[in-house]
């Protein structure tokens, strides 16, 4: 009964709770986040001072194990071998030979021979000889005189190498054959047979140099030459040039000295039979102070000469600037260059024959006072494989040499004493000339197989006494390209020379009645190529004047048209 009462009371209480009205809770709920930085702590470590006790009295005896192999023979043909590392296949290394012989033959009966042979220990000494010969029987059409030529040269040397110095001696001989074939005179047959148009230049020289590695005296060069021709002309020259260098911190002070003696004689002049003599002694010094900075290089120098005209017994002092500077504005991309230089140029008969082999052996040899050449420009790279260089300049020269045709002494109906007197040779005259010039150069290394280059020179001449700068072109330019792939190689070079002017005086005319003759501009394309059969043997071919132009570099001196030559080169070691 008591239990029933309790149960009834509980049910009644619950029912009363649900039957009441539910009230709204006015207490708002919010979530509060408490952030507290965690600061971990490490309790102090305590060293255990007690040592464990190990009972070593009890030992466990290892059980003995017996192994046995049950061998059964098995037939096998496998033979093991040691492993080897895989090698990388490389192209065979090209062998370089130190000596060669080259021979060829071309039209106009043109043999070519060249050889370079040397031997020695590369650590101590080297002895060698160089031989070169090139000739042609000529064959230009419509010429009255022979146009054959020949050039033979033999050079020998001996080099000695040491830890502290190196020295070398050279000696050689050269013979050049030319002909005075460029005449406009129509000769009678009997007169023509009396003319010996050959001119032979001979040069014999001996010289040497010495270089010191660790000394303020850097070395010296010396040369002794004797130059002569077929008309008993003779020229002697001796030059010696020591060099000193003193490093100061990052700068350099150097000086070059010069002793230059020239003495020559012509057995006749053009108008009379009197001898022509000349003798000059030049003593010079060229101090230079070089300043090196990160992007700036400056050379501050001068050239000073004491010159003596031994025949006329006159002496002169000359001083010239020798200042250059370069500034890297953008690394190797853009570099500014500028400077002012000058020099005393000692002209010689040999130098004139190199510029014009048809000069007469009756020249007036003088010095050229190159007072200054001021220039400014830039150089650098447009890309990693494209380089450029250009500058503008202004030059002032006193006694600049100019080639001018000699007046003819015959009309073709009577003999002349010398073959060069038929209006077929050139004299040298001198004038004060100012030159405004521009030079540009571009080179492109397109790949390992192909490269390209070009240059251009423009010169505007202002003469003081002469009407023109005789035989000097205003524009010259070159374009060249070379290609090599595998065993084939080829190259080409195109020359361009602008028009030139000369003054021609025919037989019977006085100088005032002479006429100005214009030599046309011309282009000359030279092509070469070949095939490499092996490291030793190479075949080559050359095409000179491939365009076949019959141009005249000097009045009445036409060059040979298309010239073809082919040959082989053999390399070897001694």
């Amino acid at each position: 009964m008591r239990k029933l009462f309790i149960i009834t009371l509980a049910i009644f209480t619950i029912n009363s709770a649900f039957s009441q009205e539910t009230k709204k809770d006015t207490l708002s709920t919010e979530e509060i986040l408490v952030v507290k930085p965690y600061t971990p702590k490490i309790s102090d470590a305590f060293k255990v001072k007690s040592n464990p006790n190990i009972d070593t009295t009890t030992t466990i005896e290892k059980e003995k194990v017996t192994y046995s192999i049950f061998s059964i023979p098995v037939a096998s043909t496998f033979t093991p071998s040691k492993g080897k590392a895989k090698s990388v296949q490389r192209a065979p290394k090209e062998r370089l030979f130190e000596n060669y012989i080259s021979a060829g033959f071309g039209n106009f009966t043109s043999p070519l021979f060249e050889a370079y042979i040397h031997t020695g220990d590369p650590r101590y000494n080297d002895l060698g000889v160089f031989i070169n010969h090139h000739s042609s029987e000529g064959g230009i059409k419509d010429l009255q005189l022979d146009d054959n030529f020949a050039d033979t040269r033999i050079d020998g040397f001996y080099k000695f190498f040491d830890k502290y110095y190196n020295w070398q001696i050279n000696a050689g001989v050269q013979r050049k054959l030319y002909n005075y074939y460029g005449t406009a005179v129509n000769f009678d047959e009997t007169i023509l047979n009396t003319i010996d148009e050959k001119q032979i230049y001979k040069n014999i020289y001996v010289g040497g140099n010495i270089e010191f590695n660790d000394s303020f005296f850097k070395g010296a060069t010396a040369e002794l030459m004797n130059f002569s021709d077929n008309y008993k002309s003779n020229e002697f020259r001796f030059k010696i040039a020591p060099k000193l260098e003193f490093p100061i911190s990052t700068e350099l002070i150097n000086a070059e000295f010069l002793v230059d003696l020239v003495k020559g004689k012509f057995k006749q002049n053009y108008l009379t039979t009197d001898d022509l003599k000349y003798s000059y002694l030049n003593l010079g010094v060229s101090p230079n102070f070089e300043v090196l900075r990160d992007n700036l290089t400056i050379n501050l120098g001068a050239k000073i000469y004491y010159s003596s005209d031994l025949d006329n017994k006159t002496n002169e002092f000359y001083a010239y600037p020798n200042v250059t500077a370069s500034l890297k504005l953008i690394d190797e991309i853009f570099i500014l260059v500028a400077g002012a230089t000058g020099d005393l140029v000692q002209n010689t008969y040999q130098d004139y024959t190199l510029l014009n082999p048809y000069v007469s052996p009756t020249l007036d040899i003088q010095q050229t006072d190159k007072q200054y050449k001021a220039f400014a420009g830039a150089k650098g790279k447009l890309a990693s494989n494209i380089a450029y260089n250009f500058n503008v300049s202004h030059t002032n020269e006193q006694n600049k040499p100019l080639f001018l045709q000699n007046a003819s002494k015959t009309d073709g109906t009577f003999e002349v004493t010398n073959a060069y007197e038929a209006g077929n040779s050139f004299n040298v005259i001198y004038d004060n000339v100012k030159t405004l010039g521009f030079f540009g150069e571009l080179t492109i290394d397109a790949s390992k197989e192909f490269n390209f280059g070009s240059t251009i020179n423009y010169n505007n001449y202002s003469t003081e006494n002469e009407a023109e700068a005789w035989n000097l072109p205003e524009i010259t330019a070159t374009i060249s390209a070379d290609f090599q792939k595998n065993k084939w190689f080829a190259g080409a070079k195109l020359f361009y020379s602008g028009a030139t002017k000369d003054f021609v005086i025919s037989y019977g005319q006085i100088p005032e009645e002479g006429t100005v003759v214009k030599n046309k501009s011309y282009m000359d394309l030279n092509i070469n190529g070949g095939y490499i059969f092996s490291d030793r043997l190479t075949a080559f071919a050359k095409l000179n004047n491939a365009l076949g132009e019959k141009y005249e570099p000097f009045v009445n001196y036409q060059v040979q048209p298309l010239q073809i030559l082919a040959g082989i080169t053999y390399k070897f070691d001694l």
Side-chain angles (χ1 to χ4, degrees):
M1 186 68 178
R2 186 179 180 181
K3 291 182 179 180
L4 179 60
F5 176 78
I6 294 172
I7 294 171
T8 302
L9 181 61
I11 294 172
F12 178 79
T13 302
I14 294 171
N15 186 39
S16 298
F18 277 97
S19 64
Q20 293 179 357
E21 184 179 351
T22 305
K23 294 183 180 181
K24 185 177 181 181
D25 189 0
T26 60
L27 181 64
S28 62
T29 61
E30 293 183 3
E31 183 177 355
I32 299 175
L33 180 62
V34 179
V35 179
K36 181 181 180 182
Y38 174 66
T39 307
K41 295 183 179 180
I42 301 176
S43 59
D44 295 336
F46 298 94
K47 183 178 181 181
V48 179
K49 297 181 179 180
S50 60
N51 294 323
N53 294 325
I54 301 175
D55 186 7
T56 59
T57 58
T58 304
T59 58
I60 300 175
E61 184 179 355
K62 293 182 180 181
E63 184 179 355
K64 295 182 179 180
V65 180
T66 303
Y67 297 94
S68 62
I69 299 175
F70 183 67
S71 179
I72 299 176
V74 178
S76 175
T77 59
F78 174 71
T79 303
S81 60
K82 295 182 179 180
K84 296 181 178 179
K86 186 66 175 178
S87 61
V88 179
Q89 294 184 355
R90 295 181 298 179
K93 185 177 179 180
E94 182 182 1
R95 183 176 177 183
L96 301 177
F97 296 92
E98 297 183 348
N99 308 281
Y100 72 89
I101 295 177
S102 182
F105 193 82
N107 62 336
F108 296 103
T109 316
S110 302
L112 172 69
F113 178 80
E114 187 172 289
Y116 175 72
I117 301 172
H118 76 119
T119 183
D121 189 331
R123 297 172 298 174
Y124 303 109
N125 54 57
D126 192 14
L127 175 66
V129 62
F130 174 77
I131 304 172
N132 179 271
H133 173 80
H134 183 211
S135 62
S136 173
E137 289 300 320
I140 300 175
K141 294 181 179 179
D142 302 325
L143 293 182
Q144 300 180 78
L145 303 174
D146 290 338
D147 63 311
N148 61 310
F149 71 86
D151 185 358
T152 304
R153 179 172 183 172
I154 302 175
D155 297 288
F157 67 88
Y158 178 78
K159 299 179 181 179
F160 178 81
F161 309 106
D162 189 78
K163 180 180 180 181
Y164 301 104
Y165 64 92
N166 305 320
W167 59 267
Q168 174 180 341
I169 57 173
N170 310 293
V173 59
Q174 185 175 21
R175 179 184 182 273
K176 290 184 176 182
L177 167 66
Y178 292 96
N179 287 278
Y180 291 111
Y181 66 87
T183 179
V185 176
N186 292 318
F187 290 98
D188 292 343
E189 189 67 26
T190 55
I191 302 300
L192 195 63
N193 295 330
T194 64
I195 298 177
D196 182 10
E197 62 270 31
K198 288 193 299 294
Q199 171 64 296
I200 300 175
Y201 300 117
K202 291 160 283 191
N203 182 39
I204 301 173
Y205 79 94
V206 61
N209 64 75
I210 185 169
E211 297 178 356
F212 292 91
N213 298 324
D214 297 318
S215 174
F216 69 92
F217 179 57
K218 303 306 294 183
T221 61
E223 191 169 31
L224 178 65
M225 293 177 290
N226 182 264
F227 184 75
S228 59
D229 67 8
N230 213 32
Y231 290 88
K232 298 181 180 180
S233 306
N234 189 273
E235 182 177 78
F236 169 86
R237 189 173 193 181
F238 172 72
K239 289 178 64 176
I240 182 169
K243 183 178 180 180
L244 307 179
E245 185 176 274
F246 303 93
I248 300 178
S249 184
T250 58
E251 279 73 40
L252 289 175
I253 296 179
N254 56 65
E256 295 185 7
F257 299 86
L258 174 68
V259 178
D260 187 5
L261 174 64
V262 176
K263 186 177 180 63
K265 180 180 179 181
F266 296 104
K267 296 296 290 184
Q268 64 283 313
N269 64 44
Y270 198 78
L271 299 177
T272 68
T273 58
D274 296 336
D275 292 350
L276 286 174
K277 299 180 181 180
Y278 56 96
S279 299
Y280 294 96
L281 174 63
N282 303 309
L283 305 177
V285 59
S286 177
N288 186 73
F289 178 65
E290 185 176 15
V291 180
L292 302 174
R293 294 295 182 266
D294 292 338
N295 296 319
L296 178 65
T297 301
I298 300 177
N299 291 288
L300 302 174
K303 294 183 179 180
I304 303 171
Y305 293 94
Y306 173 78
S307 180
S308 178
D309 185 343
L310 302 179
D311 285 334
N312 296 319
K313 295 180 172 54
T314 59
N315 304 310
E316 293 285 346
F317 277 100
Y318 298 92
Y320 304 96
N322 188 24
V323 179
T324 60
S326 64
L327 175 63
K328 292 183 180 179
L329 293 181
I330 310 177
D331 294 333
E332 299 295 331
I333 298 176
F334 189 75
I335 303 173
L336 287 177
V337 294
T341 61
D343 206 354
L344 178 66
V345 181
Q346 179 58 67
N347 299 305
T348 65
Y349 181 36
Q350 182 184 13
D351 292 339
Y352 287 145
T353 62
L354 295 176
L355 297 173
N356 183 350
Y358 311 110
V359 292
S360 61
T362 60
L363 304 181
D364 177 21
I365 304 297
Q366 298 184 19
Q367 296 171 317
T368 297
D369 179 10
K370 190 175 181 179
Q371 295 184 342
Y372 68 85
K373 178 181 180 181
F375 65 91
K379 63 180 181 179
K381 291 187 175 182
L382 301 175
S384 60
N385 62 334
I386 303 176
Y388 67 90
N389 181 17
F390 69 88
N391 65 69
V392 293
S393 63
H394 187 268
T395 307
N396 187 10
E397 296 173 280
Q398 305 291 308
N399 270 12
K400 182 179 178 65
L402 303 171
F403 294 114
L404 191 66
Q405 189 186 69
N406 284 316
S408 177
K409 290 185 177 182
T410 180
D411 59 358
T413 60
F414 56 89
E415 298 181 15
V416 289
T417 305
N418 299 296
Y420 57 81
E421 296 176 336
N424 54 349
S425 64
F426 295 84
N427 188 24
V428 174
I429 62 173
Y430 299 88
D431 196 6
N432 301 330
V433 181
K434 294 181 179 180
T435 307
L436 178 63
F438 171 80
F439 170 79
E441 181 181 21
L442 180 69
T443 59
I444 301 175
D445 295 327
S447 64
K448 293 182 179 179
E449 292 85 13
F450 178 77
N451 61 70
F452 169 87
S454 63
T455 64
I456 183 170
N457 276 285
Y458 170 79
N459 294 295
N460 182 271
Y461 301 102
S462 298
T463 56
E464 184 175 311
N465 301 314
E466 297 297 322
E468 300 285 346
W470 307 116
N471 285 294
L472 290 178
E474 285 192 347
I475 300 177
T476 58
T478 63
I479 299 176
S480 61
D482 292 291
F483 174 80
Q484 182 171 357
K485 187 173 183 180
N486 299 329
K487 294 180 178 292
W488 292 96
F489 64 91
K493 193 165 188 177
L494 178 67
F495 296 88
Y496 172 81
S497 180
T500 60
K501 294 180 180 180
D502 204 336
F503 192 73
V504 176
I505 303 174
S506 301
Y507 174 73
Q509 289 183 326
I510 60 176
E512 290 76 11
E513 297 175 343
T515 57
V516 177
V517 176
K518 184 177 181 180
N519 282 329
K520 296 181 180 180
S521 61
Y522 63 87
M523 289 191 295
D524 191 335
L525 176 63
N526 297 331
I527 301 174
N528 68 84
Y531 183 78
I532 304 172
F533 291 99
S534 66
D535 293 341
R536 294 180 180 270
L537 188 63
T538 301
F540 65 88
K542 298 180 180 180
L543 278 73
N544 293 334
N545 196 7
L547 301 177
E549 286 201 21
K550 299 179 180 180
Y551 63 87
E552 297 179 357
F554 297 100
V555 175
N556 298 327
Y557 277 93
Q558 179 188 322
V559 300
Q560 294 179 348
L562 176 64
Q563 305 153 43
I564 303 174
L565 186 144
I568 59 173
T569 299
Y570 180 76
K571 303 175 184 178
F572 60 95
D573 286 332
L574 295 179

